[in-house]
Amino acid sequence: MSPAPHGVHSEVGRLHKVLVCRPGLGHERLTPTNSGDLLFDDVLWVESAQRDHQAFVDDLRSQGVEVLELHELLAETLAVPGARPWLLDRKITANDVGLGLLDDTRAFLDSLDDATLTEYLIGGLAARDLPEEFRSAHLALVRDEQGMTEYLMPPLPNTLYTRDTTCWIYGGVTLNPLFWPARHDETLLMKAVYEFHPDFTGSTVWWGDPEQDWGLATLEGGDVMPIGNGAVLIGMSERTSRQAITQVATRLFEAGAATRVVVAGMPKLRAAMHLDTVFTFADRDVVTYYPDIVDGIKTVSLRPADRGGFEVTAERGRHFIDVVAESLGLDKLRAVEPGGGWYAGERQQWDSGNNAVAVEPGVVYTYDRNTYTNELLRQAGVEVIEIRGAELGRGRGGGHCMTCPISRDPVDY
């Protein structure tokens, strides 16, 4: 069989290909001192997280999904002539590494094989990692004592959540300018993949480029859902701005790739950082949602204007879920709240209980700890496959966050 073409045409259609990133060196570098700066609420037991993540990947593959792992994909990319110097020219600069350390750092990285270099590109390179033969007197300026660690390349532990960095919207992909500085370098790694890896060169890029300054225009894939019927949901959240949403919508409309963008105006909260932390699809007509946030969403629809640009419709007096149903041509959606009462509901939302990812209509992965929500999904006719979530969820992301779909079928409505 020929491989499925790249493109994501729904949230629940048959999933053919997906990108994940295993826990690794970046998570070993998490400490109580730096975890907050790296956007984690706690340090991980890395070995346990790796086992749980591998079990998730193995189960996806047993479902017939082609799973790409970022370390492996990036190592394959670096093996392509021109890719390694292209990426290191952009990573090892005076602004990032500092004058006096450029040559030694570059020489060390150039001495590594592709797989080892990938570990450092994702996991980070501390000044103390440089072997003796690559250590110059300039290291005296580096502060690596009294609980401080200076990085020549910062660790990127949030690559675990591949959903955010790029997102396929129908037949093209966005290279997202991420909100927090701790994540900015992730998109450059993905640009290297799309520039050089033979499976991805020539892909249609709707919007975004990590080598440009996007100012206040930030976009993260956890806010983006191409749900089908020409509609795209985008959360206007803590991390995705109206400046980015309007640019993406315009590009999609110009290309005829979408006919409507439904904007979900959300509060700027850590607990509800993306739309997919409070709302995801579990079947063609089943969603799971957290009412404390979703009931208050301010919904706005963007549609292409006759003379270019877009028209804006404020969906006043209409619940977000009702607008989503209407955009799919449905009378209503069956909506599953967290179970167990108010306290359990808040705990389950925090533990990614509303962050389900589907492999086909009515078959989803969720964390095992969200027992009440999982049972209610089953009562709604959804098959729930559980992921061990004790360690993987410490960065506030579940199955939806840990997967970046690359090829997914449309769904008939």
Side-chain angles (χ1 to χ4, degrees), residues 326-407:
E326 183 253 324
S327 73
L328 290 171
L330 299 176
D331 292 333
K332 63 180 298 184
L333 289 166
R334 292 184 290 150
V336 177
E337 301 180 17
W342 189 88
Y343 291 103
E346 184 177 1
R347 286 167 56 88
Q348 288 181 99
Q349 187 276 325
W350 179 252
D351 290 330
S352 302
N354 305 114
N355 194 247
V357 61
V359 288
E360 61 182 76
V363 181
V364 300
Y365 287 88
T366 66
Y367 280 150
D368 54 357
R369 63 196 303 161
N370 296 304
T371 54
Y372 297 109
T373 305
N374 290 349
E375 179 56 31
L376 290 172
L377 284 169
R378 291 184 175 109
Q379 291 176 20
V382 176
E383 179 184 345
V384 177
I385 306 170
E386 295 184 345
I387 312 164
R388 287 189 295 273
E391 299 301 324
L392 292 172
R394 291 185 189 272
R396 305 273 65 82
H400 201 268
C401 292
M402 291 189 293
T403 51
C404 174
I406 294 171
S407 177

Side-chain angles (χ1 to χ4, degrees), residues 317-329:
R318 303 183 66 194
H319 195 281
F320 171 70
I321 293 177
D322 293 334
V323 176
V324 174
E326 183 253 324
S327 73
L328 290 171

